[in-house]
Amino acid sequence: MPPIVTSQTRTDFSLVKTAMHRKLIQKLNLDKLIVATREDVRREVSQILETLVQGESTPMNLQERERLVQEVLDEVFGLGPLEPLLTDTTVSDILVNTYKRVYVERKGLLELTPIQFRDDAHLMGIIDRIVSAIGRRVDESSPMVDARLADGSRVNAIIPPLSVDGPCLSIRRFGTERLTAEDLVHNNSLTLPMLELLHGCVKARLNVLISGGTGAGKTTFLNVLSSYISNKERIVTIEDAAELMLNQEHVVRLETRPPNIEGRGAVQQRQLVINSLRMRPDRIIVGEVRGEEALDMLQAMNTGHDGSLTTIHANSTRDAIARLETMVAMANLNIPEAAMRRQIASALDVVVQVSRQSDGTRKVVSIAEITGMEGNVVTMQDIFTFQKRGIRENGEVLGNFMATGVRPKCAERLLVSGVHLPTDMFENRSPVR
């Protein structure tokens, strides 16, 4: 019969674990362990632990010893208490709100975990380990930092005095198996006719803008659309933090660089976009436009670099156009408003709006085509939309994908590019499921 675990025994084990952990770290030759294999370290830790346990008044069973060994290994080689979460493929975000509370996102929903750090110093040690690995630092003079783990996961850390209650850490993870177009259809993120239209847009080299909020799935969707690009084309990707995973052979990946400790040496996205034009690209993919580089991206689209893809933070397709205008204005070239909008209307062909629903699911809620200008306004028309009908008692979002009945103006361009889409797919007959 297994022993009854009470709050007292759990507290005793926690105290023993803390004491054991401290003694183990003192006895281990960390410099030697850095070059040792994981199995060698496990063997040495187990041997030292056996000796230490014999001198403790509180006994530890085999399971508790194995757990303690694993936690020490995580402290030496990994990110301490976060290691189990980093190996959990269901976790997409790890959010540390000070050392006491660690949240994760699974399937678009947040949940609190029982994981905690010992104190602020313990959490700061993990943050220092992450940022020092890429030659960065975080302290009072530089209390915010962006970094990337070895597996490509994106990291942001912010510490006091900016973070009032203590250090905070956010990790955006990327699955080892990326979602495919078939997965998106299976997950009801969009319908097959919608996917066929977007596939045709990429093949016909239309310029596509993907819009959505934080965590809506813009990068995932950009990865899916980019998979339709021919393997014969030269692709240049430009990102603030490298997240795109393209399977094509001829891909050049560019990434911005933050300033060094002296505040110098930064390379912005705009510089990379301008440089990419000199690299003979067939396609330019900007992970996300955030500022003045939007102007250079639009100019590239208007000067022969068609088939470009990018994303933007916005709540609707119309908001995406307004955001682009704001970003172009950030270039401080005093471009007249009418000329700016004409450039946007002539550069972009399709705007795709993705959204994370209240139940955590991601959906393509609109595929809109830019049709030109009417007076001083960029005109658009929806081709497909998602109509939300309500929410079930269990929180599931109810709704249908609908064709608006509008045949896109780009249909002829798709046809001459060898993309044959059935005309009835655009008819507004009944909800598309």
Side-chain angles (χ1 to χ4, degrees), residues 181-199 221 228 362-365 367 383-386 399-403 425 430-433:
E182 291 73 20
D183 292 329
L184 296 184
V185 174
H186 177 74
N187 295 340
N188 203 30
S189 295
L190 79 171
T191 63
L192 191 56
M194 297 166 71
L195 184 62
E196 289 175 351
L197 173 62
L198 293 173
H199 183 179
F221 200 70
Y228 293 131
R362 275 88 167 177
K363 295 187 183 297
V364 176
V365 296
I367 300 177
I383 309 301
F384 290 100
T385 61
F386 175 75
N400 300 102
F401 294 101
M402 305 279 293
M425 69 182 285
S430 59
V432 181
R433 298 183 182 277

Side-chain angles (χ1 to χ4, degrees), residues 413-424:
R413 185 172 167 185
L414 296 179
L415 187 61
V416 298
S417 299
V419 179
H420 300 274
L421 298 177
T423 56
D424 60 352

Side-chain angles (χ1 to χ4, degrees), residues 146-157:
D146 290 309
R148 191 169 71 241
L149 299 180
D151 65 355
S153 297
R154 190 173 64 205
V155 179
N156 174 268

Side-chain angles (χ1 to χ4, degrees), residues 40 50 63-64 73 147 157 268 281 289 319 366 380 388 421:
D40 290 339
E50 287 296 328
Q63 183 180 4
E64 291 170 338
L73 288 172
Q268 305 297 335
V289 287
D319 285 346
S366 175
M380 307 173 67
K388 185 176 177 180
L421 298 177

Side-chain angles (χ1 to χ4, degrees), residues 141-167:
S141 63
S142 179
M144 293 187 297
V145 67
D146 290 309
R148 191 169 71 241
L149 299 180
D151 65 355
S153 297
R154 190 173 64 205
V155 179
N156 174 268
I158 183 167
I159 66 171
L162 300 186
S163 177
V164 178
D165 298 321

Side-chain angles (χ1 to χ4, degrees), residues 113-228:
T113 71
I115 292 174
Q116 291 186 350
F117 292 82
R118 291 192 301 275
D119 48 32
D120 282 343
H122 187 197
L123 176 54
M124 277 300 303
I126 298 300
I127 293 175
D128 283 331
R129 181 176 302 170
I130 294 172
V131 300
S132 61
I134 59 169
R136 305 288 304 280
R137 72 173 189 181
V138 58
D139 50 34
E140 283 194 11
S141 63
S142 179
M144 293 187 297
V145 67
D146 290 309
R148 191 169 71 241
L149 299 180
D151 65 355
S153 297
R154 190 173 64 205
V155 179
N156 174 268
I158 183 167
I159 66 171
L162 300 186
S163 177
V164 178
D165 298 321
C168 294
L169 180 67
S170 304
I171 302 176
R172 167 66 61 86
R173 300 192 60 231
F174 302 102
T176 54
E177 296 183 3
R178 67 177 187 175
L179 292 177
T180 64
E182 291 73 20
D183 292 329
L184 296 184
V185 174
H186 177 74
N187 295 340
N188 203 30
S189 295
L190 79 171
T191 63
L192 191 56
M194 297 166 71
L195 184 62
E196 289 175 351
L197 173 62
L198 293 173
H199 183 179
C201 289
V202 174
K203 183 178 179 181
R205 301 184 63 88
L206 271 63
N207 294 318
V208 179
L209 175 67
I210 301 171
S211 168
T214 301
K218 299 186 296 298
T219 302
T220 298
F221 200 70
L222 181 57
N223 266 320
V224 170
L225 292 190
S226 65
S227 68
Y228 293 131

